Amino acid sequence: MNFDDKAFGERIRNLRQIMGISMEEMADRLLVSENYLGKVERGIRRPSFEFVMQFAATVDVTVDFLLMNRNIQRPLNETALSLAEQLQSFVEQNSRKEDNLSLYSTTSP
């Protein structure tokens, strides 16, 4: 499997534009020159590992998505909602267990 520099460049350019971040601002955030970022976006230059990691963190996607176009990270609010639902389910299950145990307890008045 070969790395597609042009597809990678298009992916990061699209993400940057969707987020409304200028090339100058993104270069500043990533601590690279606009020239370097432009070459990566055009598929002329292969990015460093550090660049890929920092870009993924900046736009809140997985490195896997950036490199292979898969496994987009769920937005934080969806993740939080899912965790809240799981926590609610856990609490409900445990409270039912406690209710069942109290039926069998022998307490004297």
Side-chain angles (χ1 to χ4, degrees):
M1 177 180 290
N2 292 330
F3 181 74
D4 188 341
D5 294 301
K6 289 205 180 286
F8 175 82
E10 288 174 10
R11 206 166 11 264
I12 66 166
R13 181 177 48 246
N14 289 338
L15 285 168
R16 178 181 59 76
Q17 290 173 342
I18 287 169
M19 295 191 70
I21 301 172
S22 70
M23 187 179 280
E24 178 182 12
E25 183 181 348
M26 183 60 78
D28 286 345
R29 288 184 185 189
L30 301 175
L31 304 174
V32 298
S33 69
E34 283 183 69
N35 185 39
Y36 177 85
L37 178 58
K39 287 180 179 180
V40 172
E41 286 188 356
R42 290 189 307 276
I44 297 170
R45 176 145 186 189
R46 185 162 287 177
S48 69
F49 180 72
E50 291 81 13
F51 175 91
V52 174
M53 296 290 292
Q54 186 62 36
F55 191 94
T58 300
V59 298
D60 195 28
V61 297
T62 63
V63 170
D64 191 43
F65 170 73
L66 286 180
L67 297 176
M68 305 302 294
N69 197 21
R70 61 179 178 217
N71 293 337
I72 297 176
Q73 189 172 13
R74 289 176 15 173
L76 184 58
N77 58 354
E78 286 183 31
T79 302
L81 181 59
S82 174
L83 290 172
E85 289 170 350
Q86 290 174 25
L87 179 59
Q88 180 64 33
S89 175
F90 176 78
V91 168
E92 288 172 1
Q93 288 173 357
N94 283 326
S95 91
R96 279 186 244 133
K97 287 178 183 176
E98 287 177 12
D99 290 343
N100 290 338
L101 288 175
S102 68
L103 293 174
Y104 298 107
S105 67
T106 56
T107 54
S108 302

